[in-house]
Amino acid sequence: MKDFQYAAPTTIQDATSLLTEHGSGARILAGGTDIIVQLREGLREADIVVDIKKIPELSDCQYSDVSGLYLGAAVACCDIYENADLAGRYGALADSTHIIGGWQIQSRASVGGNLCNASPAADTIPALIALNAEAQVTGPAGQRTIAVAAFCKGPGKNALVDGEFVVAIKIPPQSANMGSAYQRFIPRNEMDIAVVGVGSWIELDTVGNIANARLSLGAVAATPLFAEEASQFLVGKEPNDDNFALAAELAKQIVTPITDMRGTAQYRTHLVGVLVKRTLTTALARAQA
Amino acid sequence: MTTATKKIHVTTTVNGESVEFLCEPRNSLLEVLRDTLGLTGCKEGCNNGNCGACTVIINKRPVNSCLVLGVEAEGAEIETVEGIADARGLHPIQDCFLEGAALQCGICTPGFLVSAKALLEKKPGASEETIRFDLSGNLCRCTGYDKIVRAIQEADKQLSASTDDSKTND
């Protein structure tokens, strides 16, 4: 691994100064499960690695019925699925954090890092998009908010400019009539990269029909996708297999998958349909529970 | 010619003992443990977070030490495979791996022992499915998984029996 400096600032201001000073030569370290591999294998370079885990705002995790979830960008995956209250409210996020790598990875990897790494096959990003999450970003020009659905710009590329970093992910509050789920298909039982991943979120109205829905698709385009038309189709509909199947067909229309060793484009498109139906069924069960 | 980055002084706890070392920022905790501290129990398998042979416990959580920088160990509590046995002898997990022949070439074994210890401390009485899921970050290329899982189940039984004994003795 090439030599680099290390800094562990304890405030957002100090981190911003370091990142601004070093520009594209600075790399952020949260859980390290992507960046350390990338630095070791020469996929990315750094003059300085800025460890953001000592900044309190980055490790904070709070829920309120008014403002929803504040998830510090450095919070580890296991802190999410091991928190029963959080896992109950944000099923899709718990599903996705529980299947990223093995236990050792989940002890370190952060949702913020998974987002910034911007892999088309990232597991948490479809879950975050389905849950209508936004990234709270800070940088030399101040704070801004970016919807997770607009955060990724291509494989490994995100919307941040030099000097900026994600402080937290914010997700709207959840009530008992809402449910969400994330599933992926992999040829192995565990420890693999999604061939396709799908996140679903639904809100039921007082008579049990769908008041709102959000579907998101991973590993079928250069970035994770928000399936807007398929989501809109479900609004006002009865939550049944026929409508789920029609939403699945609409979702399949927006994908532009590649063919690689994990699966062909045709196979991936088929899987989108299967996983949309399955995740909607799970999200529905959770909303009805 | 570039000047070498200054080494950083790190104070940490390894297997209950306070330890200090100097390392470059780019040194992984795995390199520090093996090359600086002489704790060669943790193995370098893939060096990219897939195989789990370098598993150690940091602040009660199993991690891949190849994906931790040595400098991140500042103030942490680290447990390695060397700390599993105590003065009285091997830990039941180690005994059960030996008795059950739960190893072939042995490279993955320290990682499995560390993960298994973390698992049984957190989830005593874990089902076979839970054991297999939670140990999916430890790979055995000799594919002796069945014997490993059975050894962990046996160790779990022995540990819960000894806990019951100590309760009776109270």
Side-chain angles (χ1 to χ4, degrees), chain A residues 184-204:
Chain A
R184 71 176 176 201
F185 175 81
I186 53 173
R188 289 157 64 173
N189 287 331
E190 305 303 335
M191 291 280 289
D192 205 349
I193 295 169
V195 179
V196 172
V198 173
S200 287
W201 171 90
I202 55 173
E203 176 184 10
L204 300 176

Side-chain angles (χ1 to χ4, degrees), chain A residues 1-6 29-34 36-37 40-41 49 51 53-54 76 78-79 81-82 98-99 101-108 188-191, chain B residues 3-5 8 24-26 28 47-52 55 61-64 66-69 71-72 74 111 115 118-119 122 132-139:
Chain A
M1 201 181 327
K2 282 190 187 163
D3 205 4
F4 51 76
Q5 295 175 58
Y6 171 84
L29 171 68
T33 55
D34 280 316
I36 292 176
V37 178
R40 183 174 288 143
E41 296 179 356
V49 166
D51 184 350
K53 290 190 292 298
K54 296 198 170 132
C78 65
D79 287 317
Y81 66 75
E82 285 178 359
H98 200 211
I99 56 174
W103 192 6
Q104 293 94 327
I105 297 293
Q106 293 155 16
S107 297
R108 290 261 297 168
R188 289 157 64 173
N189 287 331
E190 305 303 335
M191 291 280 289
Chain B
T3 44
T5 303
I8 295 180
E24 290 179 32
R26 63 177 164 176
S28 69
N47 215 21
N48 65 17
N50 270 289
C51 78
T55 301
R61 290 175 175 178
V63 303
N64 297 309
C66 73
L67 296 187
V68 179
L69 298 179
V71 290
E72 290 184 84
E74 176 66 40
S115 294
L119 171 66
K122 190 167 181 190
R132 286 183 186 271
F133 183 85
D134 285 3
L135 293 180
S136 63
N138 290 87
L139 304 185

Side-chain angles (χ1 to χ4, degrees), chain A residues 3-81:
Chain A
D3 205 4
F4 51 76
Q5 295 175 58
Y6 171 84
T10 55
T11 66
I12 289 176
Q13 290 79 355
D14 288 352
T16 305
S17 303
L18 279 166
L19 295 174
T20 307
E21 181 190 337
H22 292 275
S24 59
R27 291 287 167 196
I28 290 174
L29 171 68
T33 55
D34 280 316
I35 191 66
I36 292 176
V37 178
Q38 291 162 354
L39 291 171
R40 183 174 288 143
E41 296 179 356
L43 300 171
R44 291 189 198 271
E45 290 192 4
D47 302 324
I48 184 168
V49 166
V50 180
D51 184 350
I52 42 93
K53 290 190 292 298
K54 296 198 170 132
I55 306 171
E57 291 92 334
L58 278 282
S59 301
D60 202 8
C61 180
Q62 287 182 36
Y63 178 80
S64 109
D65 282 330
V66 179
S67 52
L69 178 65
Y70 174 100
L71 180 68
V75 174
C77 286
C78 65
D79 287 317
I80 295 163
Y81 66 75

Side-chain angles (χ1 to χ4, degrees), chain A residues 155-166:
Chain A
K157 294 195 173 76
N158 61 42
L160 300 176
V161 300
D162 282 353
E164 280 190 318
F165 66 105
V166 175

